[in-house]
Amino acid sequence: MNPMQTCRSVRVLALLSVAALVACGGRNAAQAGSGGSGTDVLALMQARNLTEADVTAALKTYTPTGHLDEYYTFASGGHGGNLIVIGVPSMRILKYVGVFTPEPWQGFGYGDESGEVLAQGNRGGVELTWADMHHPALSETDGDYDGKWIFVNDKCNPRVAVVDLSDFMTKQIVSSELIASEHGATFVTPNTDYIVETSQYPAPLGGGYAPIEQWNDKYRGAMIFWHFDKVKGRIVPEESWAMELPPYVQDLADAGKKVSDGWVFCNSVDTERAYGGILEGKPPLESGATQNDMDYLHCINWRKAEALVKAGKTNTIAGMRVIPLQTMIDENILAFIPEPKSPHGVDITPDGAMLVVGGKLDTHTTVYDIPKIAGMIAAKKYVGKDPYGVPILDFKESIVGQCEIGLGPLHTVFDDKGFAYTSVFIETVVAKWSLKDLKVVQKIDTHFNIGHLVAAEGDTVSPDGKYLIAMNKWSLDRFSPVGPLLPQNFQLIDIGGEKMELLYDMPLPLGEPHYAQMVKADKIKPIDVYKPIGMNPYTEAVDVNATTAGKERIERRDDGVHVFMTSVRSHFSPDIVRVKVGDTVHLHVTNVEQARDATHGLAIGGQNINVSLEPGKHCNIKFVVKKEGVFPFYCTEFCSALHIEMAGYLLVEPK
Ligand code: RUQ
Ligand code: CUA
């Protein structure tokens, strides 16, 4: 060991003895500092080739058994169509929540009413079992996360889902045929009145066909404002509305807050209105859409738009009330501002006064001055019009300035000390910069090719400035190889100190997650068990078919055989169910347990049925028995020593 290492090791020892001192309340400080354990740590460090920085990072993230995490991170599950719940700083995965995709462990989509929720997401009569989830958004009150719901989107088949954080279950999926794809979703207005969903690739509004050569006239974008009812905890499609936008490829969006409350901003690419056609002698979209130096930042006064909807100034397309583009222009609701080449992220500062745009092919982040923009729009200080007549503000007049950040800035999040953190894709770093003078103060390498990033409460009115996760697209040599398809790499970074410090690499072997939300753990208050017994999570009331112990029965009715069943460690009652081929079986199962974690599962062979019965939960399962036979059913959760014995028979007799 060289003297340098010795010196470092002594410091680590000191660090460890402080940690030990804290841990044992100072009682055995002397032993902890000088005993055998210290020497073991040094040996361990050497054996595992760990540096002092490694040990410090370990101390900042290691979470002993029984200790809970400080934050929850809700990450999109990308192509998995599910939501991933991760504890921070431990980076332990706590749950996958089935959203757009069946999830067998939760019984989501395998027999009970969850199938109806999933089916709400079918479009045009096509059953969809995957999604491209991008941007989860937590519900907000006054611009701060309130921990009640989280909304997620599907970019490919434009849909929005509501996940209830009281039981971490998907309660609703909505979708409109108005648009054919989306990306600027989901973003909530500061009091969760609306969940914003913006189209991405233009198409004829409401579906249907138009030749692509008629792009300029027949293809359009749109922004949907899904109204959220906070009492019911559901989106109300009838109270939702949309606005027509020109056929530029609209990208990310963000809702104003505080001084900018009432505004929504949205990026676009492809002001050239290129649409590809490689074999038809046209440039591919990637080059066709990047001819111009500037694209258009859309500034939308949604409060004014809402008033127009109430005044009935809408057309109805695919069942959705839509404000026509011309009305948007006439009423001064939509204005454009040039924004540097191929913009991507648009992120509003915690005070609501500034807007940061990252240009994928630019070396700057551009910072816009929202109150000034609002003033210029009110005064109609426009310098031009786009081909559709949308007024344009002057670029230089609209900005505070630009920060020289590096090649390929994408997304920006904030801390509580006036700093912004931008993911820089091509340079593959997180750049920390000051909102005061727009100067970079530090860059930290990511491994590799960072896409989105998330900071603790980093897109609210009061960021915490503690942790940041770089959500990297590539992981190359970071993990043991698993074939050509590699996991994503979530890198936890400490942003609490003056310098950013890398703490932990977490492989995420599922889909390509795009964005996440990180919320203080004490804001999330899930229930322990369903109470009272017999609760149906979808109606949020005791189910009319809920059964109590002693009332179990089988009734043959006109619409089929109704089985009123209970589950309790370690049996189902009834445990023998006799039906005939062709019968419709209605299984009404109540888990009458109230002990925390006493979950049972109910799987029936040959029927594609597996439901999850958390304590107190009631499930209604309906299926038709198609062939005669003997079908064992059993519990799929190891609930007790006699779990294997928690079984029964579905006996299907011939007709
Ligand atoms: S967003 S990084 Cu940038 Cu949908 Cu994917
Ligand atoms: Cu109930 Cu296993």
Side-chain angles (χ1 to χ4, degrees):
M1 193 182 277
N2 67 34
M4 187 61 203
Q5 274 173 316
T6 317
C7 156
R8 289 181 139 239
S9 306
V10 168
R11 269 193 283 147
V12 169
L13 261 183
L15 199 63
L16 287 170
S17 47
V18 170
L21 199 136
V22 172
C24 61
R27 274 172 291 127
N28 299 319
Q31 283 151 274
S34 59
S37 67
T39 330
D40 290 346
V41 169
L42 279 183
L44 255 177
M45 282 176 68
Q46 270 189 311
R48 297 203 62 222
N49 199 17
L50 301 178
T51 65
E52 182 186 343
D54 296 334
V55 175
T56 309
L59 287 175
K60 286 186 178 180
T61 55
Y62 176 65
T63 308
T65 181
H67 290 221
L68 306 187
D69 278 299
E70 232 181 304
Y71 288 89
Y72 285 88
T73 287
F74 294 89
S76 101
H79 315 91
N82 51 16
L83 189 67
I84 304 169
V85 189
I86 302 163
V88 175
S90 74
M91 301 304 275
R92 296 178 293 196
I93 294 181
L94 303 173
K95 198 168 205 176
Y96 295 109
V97 181
V99 181
F100 297 112
T101 315
E103 210 298 326
W105 167 59
Q106 290 151 25
F108 186 67
Y110 291 97
D112 68 0
E113 288 143 314
S114 62
E116 290 163 29
V117 174
L118 262 175
Q120 291 170 354
N122 294 344
R123 282 175 57 96
V126 178
E127 190 191 338
L128 300 168
T129 55
W130 85 285
D132 184 15
M133 190 189 287
H134 275 230
H135 315 112
L138 283 158
S139 57
E140 295 180 7
T141 299
D142 296 327
D144 237 329
Y145 301 149
D146 58 27
K148 290 190 180 146
W149 297 278
I150 188 160
F151 311 102
V152 293
N153 73 317
D154 173 11
K155 162 166 160 147
C156 184
N157 299 285
R159 297 180 287 174
V160 168
V162 178
V163 177
D164 186 340
L165 294 179
S166 73
D167 58 0
F168 284 58
M169 280 178 64
T170 303
K171 297 294 171 74
Q172 185 185 26
I173 299 176
V174 296
S175 168
S176 171
E177 297 283 347
L178 181 69
I179 54 177
S181 71
E182 51 110 294
H183 191 227
T186 50
F187 297 91
V188 300
T189 52
N191 283 301
T192 321
D193 299 309
Y194 291 104
I195 300 148
V196 179
E197 184 187 32
T198 315
S199 66
Q200 181 141 63
Y201 306 110
L205 291 186
Y209 175 77
I212 201 159
E213 292 72 22
Q214 295 175 14
W215 174 283
N216 292 353
D217 302 324
K218 299 273 170 66
Y219 285 47
R220 288 290 179 270
M223 186 181 277
I224 301 177
F225 288 75
W226 293 104
H227 177 62
F228 188 67
D229 182 327
K230 282 166 272 187
V231 177
K232 295 200 185 94
R234 298 290 185 275
I235 288 169
V236 190
E238 307 76 51
E239 289 170 24
S240 306
W241 46 273
M243 55 184 61
E244 180 187 354
L245 298 172
Y248 307 134
V249 174
Q250 277 79 23
D251 203 36
L252 288 167
D254 200 5
K257 50 196 164 208
K258 291 191 157 175
V259 291
S260 53
D261 189 6
W263 290 89
V264 164
F265 299 89
C266 174
N267 284 331
S268 67
V269 299
D270 197 18
T271 40
E272 298 83 352
R273 291 178 288 169
Y275 48 78
I278 298 174
L279 288 188
E280 299 171 15
K282 297 214 175 68
L285 189 57
E286 61 171 317
S287 59
T290 49
Q291 298 303 306
N292 301 345
D293 280 338
M294 292 284 194
D295 289 290
Y296 292 135
L297 172 67
H298 296 36
C299 310
I300 295 163
N301 187 332
W302 71 259
R303 278 257 161 70
K304 253 179 131 178
E306 183 188 49
L308 276 193
V309 173
K310 288 195 176 136
K313 295 200 175 174
T314 53
N315 294 335
T316 299
I317 307 173
M320 177 71 71
R321 291 172 296 169
V322 184
I323 309 174
L325 180 57
Q326 192 56 50
T327 312
M328 299 279 293
I329 297 166
D330 295 344
E331 302 283 341
N332 201 25
I333 290 175
L334 171 68
F336 289 158
I337 311 176
E339 51 182 354
K341 221 170 173 119
S342 285
H344 187 53
V346 45
D347 298 287
I348 294 172
T349 52
D351 60 3
M354 293 185 286
L355 179 89
V356 180
V357 168
K360 302 190 295 277
L361 299 178
D362 195 20
T363 53
H364 303 94
T365 44
T366 303
V367 184
Y368 292 80
D369 181 333
I370 305 179
K372 199 167 170 206
I373 290 169
M376 290 194 293
I377 292 175
K380 300 196 178 176
K381 269 190 78 184
Y382 298 125
V383 294
K385 274 185 187 156
D386 88 329
Y388 297 89
V390 180
I392 303 170
L393 291 173
D394 183 66
F395 173 67
K396 286 247 163 65
E397 286 287 312
S398 307
I399 65 170
V400 177
Q402 291 186 298
C403 174
E404 188 74 51
I405 204 137
L407 195 57
L410 298 183
H411 302 279
T412 301
V413 289
F414 306 94
D415 71 8
D416 54 342
K417 297 168 201 79
F419 293 103
Y421 300 79
T422 299
S423 54
V424 189
F425 178 79
I426 299 174
E427 202 182 318
T428 191
V429 297
V430 172
K432 173 179 177 178
W433 52 286
S434 162
L435 286 170
K436 254 196 218 111
D437 56 12
L438 311 188
K439 290 260 162 19
V440 171
V441 295
Q442 191 202 349
K443 285 183 179 177
I444 189 168
D445 286 335
T446 60
H447 311 88
F448 300 90
N449 293 28
I450 180 174
H452 254 292
L453 75 182
V454 60
E457 312 237 340
D459 64 358
T460 69
V461 293
S462 59
D464 284 3
K466 277 196 115 163
Y467 300 106
L468 181 147
I469 299 172
M471 304 170 72
N472 306 320
K473 309 291 184 194
W474 291 30
S475 61
L476 291 182
D477 55 8
R478 294 295 109 165
F479 307 112
S480 305
V482 287
L485 181 62
L486 303 186
Q488 318 282 316
N489 187 5
F490 277 17
Q491 290 190 296
L492 181 68
I493 294 169
D494 183 354
I495 58 167
E498 214 174 291
K499 286 233 165 287
M500 294 185 278
E501 274 169 35
L502 178 63
L503 297 181
Y504 192 75
D505 278 23
M506 174 203 181
L508 198 66
L510 217 164
E512 185 193 308
H514 287 257
Y515 191 37
Q517 300 263 273
M518 198 192 299
V519 54
K520 197 110 179 96
D522 61 13
K523 287 191 184 169
I524 306 290
K525 298 193 172 70
I527 55 169
D528 290 340
V529 299
Y530 287 104
K531 237 192 278 194
I533 291 173
M535 277 290 283
N536 178 328
Y538 297 102
T539 58
E540 286 162 20
V542 173
D543 198 273
V544 286
N545 295 311
T547 312
T548 51
K551 295 273 170 58
E552 299 92 343
R553 63 204 184 274
I554 300 176
E555 286 175 14
R556 193 164 263 284
R557 295 183 190 163
D558 289 347
D559 65 346
V561 182
H562 288 255
V563 182
F564 297 87
M565 186 184 268
T566 57
S567 67
V568 72
R569 277 162 288 173
S570 304
H571 61 270
F572 294 106
S573 172
D575 55 356
I576 292 181
V577 176
R578 298 168 198 273
V579 297
K580 292 207 162 50
V581 171
D583 275 345
T584 300
V585 182
H586 305 261
L587 262 182
H588 310 290
V589 199
T590 310
N591 182 1
V592 296
E593 307 256 11
Q594 283 285 276
R596 201 172 176 196
D597 214 0
T599 295
H600 303 287
L602 171 56
I604 310 178
Q607 318 294 332
N608 199 34
I609 286 171
N610 179 42
V611 296
S612 173
L613 293 157
E614 293 96 284
K617 182 169 158 188
H618 179 84
C619 284
N620 294 307
I621 306 154
K622 185 175 142 186
F623 62 103
V624 178
V625 281
K626 297 204 180 92
K627 71 182 217 240
E628 64 182 65
V630 172
F631 301 97
F633 61 81
Y634 67 96
C635 171
T636 45
E637 289 275 336
F638 209 115
C639 54
S640 69
L642 296 176
H643 149 80
I644 300 285
E645 289 81 352
M646 189 164 176
Y649 280 98
L650 170 71
L651 302 169
V652 185
E653 301 167 23
K655 263 230 165 104

Short mmCIF file of all heavy atoms in Angstrom, two decimals, residues 600 635 637 639 643 646, ligand 2:
data_model
loop_
_atom_site.label_atom_id
_atom_site.label_comp_id
_atom_site.label_asym_id
_atom_site.label_seq_id
_atom_site.Cartn_x
_atom_site.Cartn_y
_atom_site.Cartn_z
N HIS A 600 -53.48 -13.92 -0.94
CA HIS A 600 -53.62 -15.20 -1.64
C HIS A 600 -53.71 -14.91 -3.13
O HIS A 600 -54.03 -13.79 -3.54
CB HIS A 600 -54.88 -15.94 -1.19
CG HIS A 600 -54.92 -16.19 0.28
ND1 HIS A 600 -54.12 -17.14 0.90
CD2 HIS A 600 -55.63 -15.59 1.27
CE1 HIS A 600 -54.36 -17.11 2.21
NE2 HIS A 600 -55.27 -16.18 2.47
N CYS A 635 -53.87 -21.69 -4.65
CA CYS A 635 -53.37 -20.37 -4.26
C CYS A 635 -51.95 -20.20 -4.80
O CYS A 635 -51.12 -21.10 -4.68
CB CYS A 635 -53.39 -20.26 -2.74
SG CYS A 635 -52.55 -18.79 -2.13
N GLU A 637 -49.81 -17.67 -3.95
CA GLU A 637 -48.90 -16.93 -3.06
C GLU A 637 -48.53 -17.85 -1.90
O GLU A 637 -49.43 -18.47 -1.30
CB GLU A 637 -49.59 -15.67 -2.50
CG GLU A 637 -49.81 -14.56 -3.51
CD GLU A 637 -48.60 -13.65 -3.68
OE1 GLU A 637 -47.76 -13.56 -2.76
OE2 GLU A 637 -48.50 -13.03 -4.76
N CYS A 639 -48.56 -18.46 1.23
CA CYS A 639 -49.20 -17.71 2.30
C CYS A 639 -49.07 -18.35 3.68
O CYS A 639 -49.24 -17.69 4.69
CB CYS A 639 -50.67 -17.53 1.96
SG CYS A 639 -51.47 -19.11 1.61
N HIS A 643 -49.80 -23.85 2.44
CA HIS A 643 -50.13 -23.16 1.19
C HIS A 643 -50.41 -24.16 0.06
O HIS A 643 -51.33 -23.99 -0.73
CB HIS A 643 -49.00 -22.20 0.84
CG HIS A 643 -48.76 -21.97 -0.60
ND1 HIS A 643 -49.54 -21.11 -1.34
CD2 HIS A 643 -47.85 -22.49 -1.45
CE1 HIS A 643 -49.09 -21.11 -2.59
NE2 HIS A 643 -48.08 -21.94 -2.69
N MET A 646 -53.79 -25.30 -0.08
CA MET A 646 -54.84 -24.31 -0.34
C MET A 646 -55.27 -24.48 -1.80
O MET A 646 -54.77 -23.79 -2.70
CB MET A 646 -54.33 -22.90 -0.06
CG MET A 646 -55.43 -21.84 -0.10
SD MET A 646 -54.91 -20.30 0.65
CE MET A 646 -56.37 -19.30 0.33
CU1 CUA B 2 -53.07 -18.82 0.16
CU2 CUA B 2 -51.08 -19.77 -0.58
#
